[in-house]
Amino acid sequence: MEYRQLSPETVPGFLKDIPSMQKIFSDLDDLEVEEVGDGNLNFVYKVRQRKNPEQTVVIKQAVPFLRIVGESWPLSRTRMNFEIQALEHHTKYCPQHVPQIYYSSTDMSLVVMQNLNRHAVLRGEMILGKIFPKLAEHISSFLANTIFPTTDWCLTGGKKKAMVGRFINPELCKITEDFVLTNPYEDHETNVYHDEVTQADKDYLQQDSQLKVAVAEMKYTFMNHSEALLHGDLHIGSIMANEEETYVIDPEFAFFGPIGFDVGAFIGNLFLAYYAHEIRQPMLGREPFEYRNWILRTAEETWNKFQSKFEANWVAHEQNFPHSYWSYPEGRIGFALQRQRFLCHIFEDTIGFAACKMMRRIYGLAKVADIAEIPDLKARLDVERNVMRMAKGMVKQRSAFRSIEELTALAQEISPLR
Ligand code: SR1
Ligand code: MG
């Protein structure tokens, strides 16, 4: 099939030619289509049958350019091949947190999937101050269950390397290298500063040698440590949820990288929301304590549960496939020490990458609405300065934190919970 970019007008004709769509739609001649993509890269169509709107799918299609910039920024459509492969992996290991995929095509660079119409994008919902009681439980399961099976602790060397090869995703990794780990820390043409940002604010990020060294180390880790298959862009805009269920979407940035990159992306976005809600809760007419307290407890619970679930997966794997390496009288102690040291290493990376994910959203090209849509620029700047202070402390001191509670304590030191 030859690639063509779909439009709301051409979607019905396209779906009509896919045999499996007859199981979903009782009448393929009566479809209503709306383009709803709000991400930076792709187009997303919601399709419903007019008379039976519960018969519905979502189509996500990659176009050969970066949507946030436009056709002047070419970006190959192969990103959808990585998304399709990653969705298959996520479905295998954590189906309860992945939308159902009905059809995919690498030729057309698209997937047709479950319309999560009882769920909404988590970032939008959190901006409205909604609480998701099961979020930490679900995301920690998603992370531990999709990541552990692709580590060298689980796979044989040959299988791991073959899988690493299938997920070499240079174009989207380059986006992260540039927009997360380079450009915001220099006065780069792609950065976007609002009118209240001062030269001193820029220098605070761009002329601090210790910070620059720390970020360069994180970038090196990102580029060289192929520890496990990652989602690659696990911010709260890549999650759809309601109070009961949580789905992880959009894994087009999937690649083999450092485990802390995914965990840190999620936790860093929670800290962004924590600082934003110092302003947003009063904007919503509420006292900030309850919501911000929920955010910090969610960050703690996510890390603590991720750690114990990852370790439980590791122990279960060792029980099922015991290594002679640990079969000596004190082998259990050695194996426990190995797990503990590895989890400390993931924690250090988690803190470092969370910090980079926070800083890039302040001066980098791609912002987060939590902060960028605070209308009062002076109030927005106060939030941004808090984010910068926290993030700098995190990445520079990332090896000094002994627990996630020490990190949430730092968040509160900078912006007290009241
Ligand atoms: C140009 S930067 C675009 C960003 O959008 C995606 O969601 C990734 O976070 C990427 O860095
Ligand atoms: Mg995305």
Side-chain angles (χ1 to χ4, degrees):
M1 193 186 304
E2 204 181 323
Y3 176 81
R4 62 185 199 282
Q5 188 180 332
L6 292 174
S7 67
E9 292 70 39
T10 58
V11 161
F14 171 74
L15 288 180
K16 227 174 150 176
D17 289 338
I18 303 175
S20 60
M21 288 301 111
Q22 283 164 9
K23 288 192 202 129
I24 293 173
F25 296 107
S26 52
D27 181 358
L28 277 154
D29 287 317
D30 187 31
L31 301 182
E32 175 178 77
V33 184
E34 190 191 354
E35 204 281 316
V36 294
D38 62 353
N40 296 323
L41 275 72
N42 305 296
F43 284 77
V44 179
Y45 302 94
K46 273 192 181 165
V47 187
R48 288 189 189 88
Q49 197 194 307
R50 278 195 189 84
K51 282 187 234 91
N52 298 297
E54 73 286 355
Q55 296 178 13
T56 177
V57 296
V58 157
I59 303 177
K60 176 178 175 186
Q61 186 178 41
V63 289
F65 53 88
L66 186 65
R67 183 177 183 173
I68 188 179
V69 178
E71 296 193 28
S72 63
W73 190 301
L75 188 67
S76 99
R77 295 180 283 108
T78 51
R79 62 185 182 274
M80 185 50 75
N81 305 5
F82 297 105
E83 176 151 352
I84 292 168
Q85 290 192 85
L87 283 166
E88 283 166 4
H89 173 77
H90 294 161
T91 302
K92 180 171 175 191
Y93 288 98
C94 202
Q96 68 276 29
H97 298 308
V98 186
Q100 209 181 327
I101 305 303
Y102 303 129
Y103 174 82
S104 64
S105 166
T106 50
D107 289 347
M108 283 291 284
S109 302
L110 60 74
V111 282
V112 182
M113 60 189 154
Q114 178 184 2
N115 180 359
L116 299 167
N117 49 6
R118 292 183 297 107
H119 311 78
V121 174
L122 184 59
R123 188 181 304 287
E125 297 294 89
M126 285 185 64
I127 286 173
L128 297 173
K130 295 198 185 153
I131 283 183
F132 293 82
K134 299 186 178 168
L135 183 62
E137 175 68 33
H138 292 168
I139 294 299
S140 58
S141 291
F142 175 82
L143 287 166
N145 294 346
T146 60
I147 287 176
F148 179 75
T150 63
T151 62
D152 284 279
W153 305 122
C154 184
L155 289 176
T156 61
K159 281 195 175 150
K160 160 91 184 297
K161 284 170 184 64
M163 213 174 162
V164 171
R166 285 206 306 279
F167 279 96
I168 292 187
N169 189 354
E171 266 189 297
L172 293 212
C173 284
K174 177 82 169 91
I175 289 181
T176 304
E177 290 155 25
D178 291 345
F179 290 97
V180 180
L181 298 160
T182 312
N183 302 355
Y185 317 94
E186 57 187 57
D187 199 11
H188 197 274
E189 60 184 3
T190 60
N191 291 343
V192 180
Y193 311 105
H194 63 76
D195 289 346
E196 292 295 326
V197 176
T198 66
Q199 189 57 45
D201 288 312
K202 294 185 201 171
D203 293 349
Y204 185 72
L205 189 68
Q206 295 167 353
Q207 299 197 13
D208 173 338
S209 296
Q210 279 186 19
L211 175 77
K212 308 238 339 184
V213 169
V215 172
E217 286 169 353
M218 297 318 299
K219 180 173 172 182
Y220 190 84
T221 298
F222 176 85
M223 295 177 76
N224 290 285
H225 294 191
S226 305
E227 289 178 343
L229 178 60
L230 305 183
H231 176 283
D233 195 24
L234 194 56
H235 58 86
I236 57 176
S238 295
I239 295 171
M240 292 187 72
N242 60 27
E243 284 204 355
E244 291 303 317
E245 293 174 318
T246 308
Y247 288 91
V248 175
I249 59 171
D250 278 359
E252 67 210 307
F253 282 76
F255 77 115
F256 270 75
I259 295 170
F261 185 75
D262 264 8
V263 189
F266 180 68
I267 288 178
N269 271 261
L270 292 181
F271 286 132
L272 288 171
Y274 174 75
Y275 288 113
H277 273 283
E278 184 173 355
I279 302 295
R280 285 198 169 273
Q281 286 296 303
M283 279 166 63
L284 292 164
R286 301 182 195 152
E287 289 297 323
F289 179 86
E290 189 193 346
Y291 198 66
R292 299 175 89 215
N293 186 48
W294 171 73
I295 293 174
L296 292 186
R297 303 296 79 86
T298 300
E300 290 168 356
E301 197 185 332
T302 302
W303 169 258
N304 290 328
K305 287 193 161 164
F306 164 75
Q307 172 172 261
S308 55
K309 289 173 190 179
F310 187 95
E311 189 173 9
N313 287 345
W314 197 344
V315 169
H317 178 75
E318 186 61 29
Q319 271 161 4
N320 293 335
F321 305 96
H323 284 94
S324 49
Y325 193 80
W326 300 120
S327 99
Y328 61 96
E330 296 201 342
R332 284 167 68 95
I333 297 170
F335 178 45
L337 185 62
Q338 175 84 82
R339 298 194 305 271
Q340 191 200 350
R341 284 172 65 90
F342 189 70
L343 282 159
C344 282
H345 148 74
I346 300 180
F347 187 51
E348 183 175 329
D349 277 0
T350 294
I351 297 169
F353 286 122
C356 297
K357 290 284 203 169
M358 290 160 71
M359 293 183 283
R360 64 79 61 113
R361 295 296 188 183
I362 304 302
Y363 297 153
L365 173 71
K367 313 282 189 206
V368 286
D370 329 27
I371 294 174
E373 289 178 11
I374 293 174
D376 175 347
L377 284 189
K378 286 199 164 49
R380 174 176 163 188
L381 184 65
D382 288 342
V383 170
E384 292 172 341
R385 285 177 175 162
N386 283 344
V387 169
M388 289 303 191
R389 227 181 109 196
M390 164 108 183
K392 266 176 89 159
M394 287 165 71
V395 69
K396 288 204 243 177
Q397 304 296 323
R398 63 193 184 280
S399 62
F401 293 92
R402 293 280 153 262
S403 69
I404 185 78
E405 287 75 17
E406 285 186 13
L407 204 58
T408 53
L410 174 64
Q412 292 172 76
E413 202 180 297
I414 291 169
S415 171
L417 191 52
R418 49 172 175 251

